[in-house]
Amino acid sequence: MHSTPGTIRREDVVLALAYAGLTWLLHSLGITATGAPAVPSLEPWWPALALAGSAVVVLRRSTTRVMVPVSLLAAVALLLAGAAGGFFLLFEAVFSLVLFGTAKAAKTAEVAVLVLCAAGGAAAWLAGGSFADGVVALLAGAMVLLLPAEWAGNVRKARELAVSEGARAAAIRGAARDQARLAAREHELELAGARQEMARELHDVLSSRLSAIALQSAAALNTADPALDREVLAHVRRESVAGLRDLNAMIRMLNAGEPRALAGDVGDLDAVIAGHRAAGMDLEWNNALPGGGEDLPGGTQAAIHRLIAESLVNAGRHAAGASVRASLEEVPSGIRLRVADDGGTEEPQGNTAGTGTGLPSMRARAEQLGGYAIAGPEGHGWRVEAFLPTNGTGTVENEAS
């Protein structure tokens, strides 16, 4: 048995008083459990027994382990004293044990009352020699023992079902909260991805062009050759117009929510190369792709354009006076892009710090097409190398060496 934590309830006090009152009423009316007391010496004590047995009923919820044995003892003593009130206490002891006891105690009690009812009926039949006596004893046992056990068992199951349903409802509410948090987290990740993509687009569209304009305008300011001035300014204007065009396209895309065509293609690289040369860069350019790469898919051409443009801007910004070699070549299952410088001989002019998105953007562009992009020191200079697959497999193992 176990004790159910809690305070004494008013309904249990009322029940205890009712049991005491019924026992007194039956005794005053001369209604007894048996014709004569089985233990006459207990008969004078029936008021005290009834009072003790009824009083502990108030503990049936809070201290079941005390209430059940005391009620059983009082019930048996009252029945031996001939008091009919013992049946009420016996009924209540079984009911409380099954309803408020532990699961094991309740199950044991239900089995025990079945055995007791059967044993009582058999004993009455054998003792009296009459089958009718056995049936009467069996029915009496069922009313006093089996009925409260089954009644309390049904109430207990209903209570446990209610608790289970409450836990299930709480679990459903918890799952709904978790789902809402997950959806919010997914939304935050989508926003972060969108911001990252937008930052990459802004960098690729504007940063390289503005950096090229800065380098070329610096070259124009440092030369006294009018012809070179005009050539450099022509490249500055071309980059400015192209940058405005790309910016307008991006603004339209953001307003409409529709993807735009990627800016830049292989055909534009000659102008990019010419602009850097006009700005004073010692640049060796070799496009060994069949047909110059103009038959490549638009996404691949845009990636090539952005990788080379960003690499040349970085070389001009961080390795002033360097000799730069840029090349495109066809390799098994793809295209290899390479831009390398020898480190330069001049101190960089102005602030060379970037946004920190250039190299990650180049890697992301290559990886989106199933390739790779790497960058790092080579000798005294810097090297950028990328592989872009053209067979759709993205296999880069053989080309990485």
Side-chain angles (χ1 to χ4, degrees), residues 74-392:
V76 172
L78 283 172
L79 292 174
L80 292 175
F87 289 119
F88 298 119
L89 294 181
L90 191 61
F91 183 102
E92 180 58 40
V94 174
F95 184 89
S96 297
L97 176 60
V98 175
L99 181 58
F100 301 114
T102 63
K104 182 178 179 180
K107 188 67 177 178
T108 302
E110 289 180 316
V111 174
V113 296
L114 285 173
V115 174
L116 287 174
C117 288
W125 181 13
L126 293 174
S130 171
F131 180 71
D133 291 341
V135 171
V136 171
L138 180 63
L139 291 176
M143 291 294 293
V144 176
L145 299 176
L146 186 60
L147 178 61
E150 292 301 314
W151 183 7
N154 290 334
V155 174
R156 184 186 185 107
K157 290 175 183 177
R159 186 178 63 182
E160 291 174 349
L161 180 61
V163 172
S164 176
E165 287 297 320
R168 179 174 175 271
I172 291 175
R173 290 193 296 270
R177 289 193 297 269
D178 292 342
Q179 186 66 27
R181 285 194 292 267
L182 179 60
R185 180 58 179 164
E186 290 177 350
H187 181 61
E188 291 174 0
L189 291 176
E190 289 177 359
L191 291 178
R195 288 193 295 268
Q196 186 178 23
E197 180 66 21
M198 185 177 295
R200 184 164 57 242
E201 288 292 324
L202 286 171
H203 176 274
D204 290 348
V205 170
L206 298 179
S207 179
S208 62
R209 296 196 184 279
L210 292 175
S211 297
I213 290 172
L215 292 172
Q216 292 162 2
S217 59
L221 291 173
N222 293 327
T223 182
D225 186 349
L228 184 59
D229 271 350
R230 292 186 61 81
E231 181 181 356
V232 172
L233 290 175
H235 286 292
V236 169
R237 184 181 185 282
R238 183 188 66 81
E239 292 289 345
S240 301
V241 172
L244 287 173
R245 183 180 64 245
D246 292 340
L247 181 59
N248 288 332
M250 178 174 287
I251 292 173
R252 287 195 297 272
M253 180 271 292
L254 291 174
N255 285 332
E258 298 177 356
R260 64 181 179 85
L262 296 175
D265 54 48
V266 176
D268 295 335
L269 287 176
D270 289 338
V272 173
I273 298 298
H276 284 282
R277 284 173 174 168
M281 179 178 287
D282 179 10
L283 175 57
E284 178 184 335
W285 165 240
N286 180 28
N287 183 353
L289 296 179
E294 294 185 0
D295 293 332
L296 293 171
T300 302
Q301 291 197 45
I304 291 173
H305 180 278
R306 292 183 176 185
L307 287 167
I308 290 181
E310 178 67 21
S311 300
L312 294 177
V313 166
N314 287 341
R317 179 187 297 162
H318 300 290
S323 294
V324 183
R325 301 176 308 281
S327 64
L328 282 172
E329 61 178 325
E330 188 176 33
V331 295
S333 72
I335 296 166
R336 191 202 306 271
L337 178 155
R338 181 181 172 87
V339 178
D341 64 72
D342 60 7
T345 58
E346 303 176 15
E347 289 295 327
Q349 300 296 321
N351 182 14
T352 62
T355 62
T357 60
L359 293 179
S361 178
M362 286 194 286
R363 295 191 188 99
R365 293 295 175 190
E367 290 170 359
Q368 282 178 349
L369 297 176
Y372 70 90
I374 57 176
E378 182 177 70
H380 296 291
W382 190 265
R383 170 182 65 101
V384 175
E385 184 172 324
F387 168 77
L388 303 176
T390 56
N391 61 354

